[in-house]
């Protein structure tokens, strides 16, 4: 139920229903996950601790709604995008940044897992739903 997977295995589901994909080959998902993981490893080294700590503070603030936190995460991803090489596909970079930030926040404060995961899934569904569908559809084995 809503497992956070970083090893390329398909697990869990999107909270608001299926992403709208036809049944896919598990190998396609693994290929995409491997590509995203490679990019994520590069981003992981570049994201400064202060950025993560700022997001942690927002997640810890129970007075903020999930919508407010999602907007803040979107702003942080946008700011981090300024340092991303222009030859990298924008949507892919933003998607990976959101996943790396999620990992770093949960590694910093594990008890925030549920709130961070739900916010990230919400953010990804809103921002990247069509991109994810297109990415899965475009992979050729």
């Amino acid at each position: 139920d809503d497992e956070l997977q970083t090893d390329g295995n398909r697990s869990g589901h999107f909270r608001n229903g299926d992403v709208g994909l036809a049944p896919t080959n598990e190998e396609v998902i693994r290929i995409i996950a491997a590509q995203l993981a490679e990019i994520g490893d590069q981003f992981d080294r570049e994201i400064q601790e202060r950025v993560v700590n700022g997001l942690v503070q927002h997640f810890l603030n129970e007075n903020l709604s999930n919508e407010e936190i999602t907007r803040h995460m979107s702003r942080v991803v946008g700011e981090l995008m300024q340092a991303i090489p222009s030859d990298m596909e924008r949507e892919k970079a933003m998607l990976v940044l959101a996943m790396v930030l999620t990992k770093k926040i949960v590694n910093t404060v594990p008890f925030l897992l549920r709130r961070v995961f739900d916010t990230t899934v919400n953010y990804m569904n809103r921002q990247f739903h069509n991109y994810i569908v297109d990415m899965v559809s475009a992979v050729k084995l």
Side-chain angles (χ1 to χ4, degrees):
D1 184 11
D2 294 330
E3 290 182 49
L4 182 61
Q5 295 290 317
T6 59
D7 61 1
N9 289 316
R10 188 174 184 187
S11 183
H13 59 284
F14 282 87
R15 182 169 292 273
N16 296 328
D18 197 7
V19 239
L21 299 175
T24 58
N25 184 326
E26 293 294 320
E27 188 60 26
V28 170
I29 303 299
R30 288 189 207 319
I31 290 168
I32 292 169
Q35 292 169 351
L36 295 177
E38 185 176 320
I39 295 167
D41 289 343
Q42 294 169 355
F43 290 173
D44 186 53
R45 291 185 293 274
E46 297 173 14
I47 295 176
Q48 296 177 1
E49 191 175 323
R50 68 174 175 72
V51 173
V52 175
N53 289 336
L55 275 168
V56 165
Q57 293 309 309
H58 277 78
F59 279 102
L60 288 171
N61 185 345
E62 294 183 14
N63 294 324
L64 294 177
S65 69
N66 286 341
E67 184 63 34
E68 290 170 305
I69 294 172
T70 300
R71 280 195 302 271
H72 184 70
M73 177 179 260
S74 182
R75 277 193 305 275
V76 170
V77 169
E79 291 168 7
L80 291 171
M81 281 298 296
Q82 313 237 346
I84 303 301
S86 59
D87 63 336
M88 183 174 286
E89 191 174 347
R90 181 169 173 76
E91 290 85 0
K92 184 181 286 185
M94 291 175 73
L95 180 66
V96 173
L97 281 170
M99 290 188 285
V100 170
L101 285 169
T102 298
K103 174 185 156 197
K104 287 177 132 341
I105 292 166
V106 171
N107 283 342
T108 303
V109 186
F111 74 85
L112 288 174
L113 174 63
R114 172 56 71 188
R115 189 167 193 199
V116 174
F117 178 75
D118 288 346
T119 300
T120 303
V121 169
N122 183 37
Y123 172 72
M124 290 169 49
N125 276 334
R126 288 183 181 181
Q127 299 293 319
F128 308 112
H129 174 81
N130 292 337
Y131 177 74
I132 293 169
V133 170
D134 291 345
M135 187 171 39
V136 171
S137 300
V139 173
K140 305 287 185 233
L141 292 177

